[in-house]
Amino acid sequence: MAALFCADHLVQERQPPRRIATPAVIVRGSDPSDAHACAGIYAPYVEETAISFEAIPPSASEMGQRIAEAIDTHAWLVLEDGGRVAGYAYGGPLNRRAAYRWSCEVSVYMERGRRRTGAGRALYEALFERLAQRGFCMAVAGMTLPNEASVGLHRAMGFQTVGVYRRIGYKLGAWHDVEWMQRALAAASDPPPEPS
């Protein structure tokens, strides 16, 4: 796995970080050393909201494993502001069955106070470019309802609703719906080349 990580890391190094809003804000490829910061950003979503259906926030160690796995097969990016991680976005498998391998599930999480600042858009733009370069053709995202900010971001990024699971998850004393959306990352050839 170290060799695969190193190869992917070299690809990330050749792509300059994207700067947004101010010179101190960049989007860059992540690595497991970002685990503590990403776990800290994610924990309030798990503990205080139904945005995530997880019940216990992952530890920094577990988050590091998730980052390494995403880098190996898809992508994980962070938004850095003044040298500090303030958000992240990643892609992962949509489904383990073989025919789904050109599609991926994507998510974006920002620290509190970063909504509607362009940070989520910047992360997603860079993530979608990276996933398309790796051969993925379709991105899928699910969001717990109501969540106007997330639904708005995904619509602005070109996602279209494909369905809503009604009362699919129970958390914080209530049943929750989940809206699923998708958007193309790249034109799908027939047959498509294998994702790398």
Side-chain angles (χ1 to χ4, degrees):
M1 184 160 160
L4 290 172
F5 172 72
C6 290
D8 188 54
H9 183 68
L10 291 174
V11 170
Q12 293 178 12
E13 289 300 315
R14 285 194 293 264
Q15 297 174 355
R18 292 176 182 236
R19 298 199 180 279
I20 62 166
T22 67
V25 178
I26 63 167
V27 172
R28 63 166 174 80
S30 184
D31 64 57
S33 70
D34 296 316
H36 183 75
C38 290
I41 291 166
Y42 186 54
Y45 290 96
V46 174
E47 295 171 333
E48 302 167 16
T49 77
I51 289 171
S52 168
F53 277 4
E54 289 195 70
I56 299 169
S59 66
S61 175
E62 169 64 21
M63 189 64 81
Q65 291 173 352
R66 293 179 187 189
I67 292 169
E69 289 171 9
I71 290 170
D72 186 36
T73 61
H74 291 75
W76 190 299
L77 305 176
V78 295
L79 180 125
E80 202 176 82
D81 186 354
R84 186 180 58 76
V85 173
Y88 64 93
Y90 63 92
L94 171 63
N95 189 300
R96 298 287 178 194
R97 294 201 168 110
Y100 289 103
R101 67 186 175 274
W102 293 276
S103 299
C104 54
E105 187 174 349
V106 297
S107 293
V108 61
Y109 289 94
M110 301 303 305
E111 68 183 1
R112 292 187 171 169
R114 292 275 179 171
R115 289 187 180 167
R116 300 188 187 271
T117 64
R121 174 181 285 278
L123 276 164
Y124 259 174
E125 286 174 350
L127 178 68
F128 297 160
E129 182 179 326
R130 181 80 44 89
L131 292 168
Q133 289 169 352
R134 293 196 79 169
F136 295 99
C137 301
M138 187 67 62
V140 175
M143 58 224 68
T144 307
L145 300 176
N147 189 338
E148 291 180 26
S150 186
V151 171
L153 170 64
H154 286 85
R155 285 195 180 131
M157 297 300 301
F159 282 80
Q160 296 180 333
T161 299
V162 293
V164 176
Y165 290 141
R166 303 287 178 198
R167 297 174 54 89
I168 196 73
Y170 189 83
K171 186 175 179 186
L172 301 176
W175 286 102
H176 301 280
D177 298 344
V178 174
E179 181 171 351
W180 285 93
M181 302 176 110
Q182 72 179 49
R183 69 158 271 178
L185 296 172
S189 59
D190 203 8
E194 290 295 320
S196 60

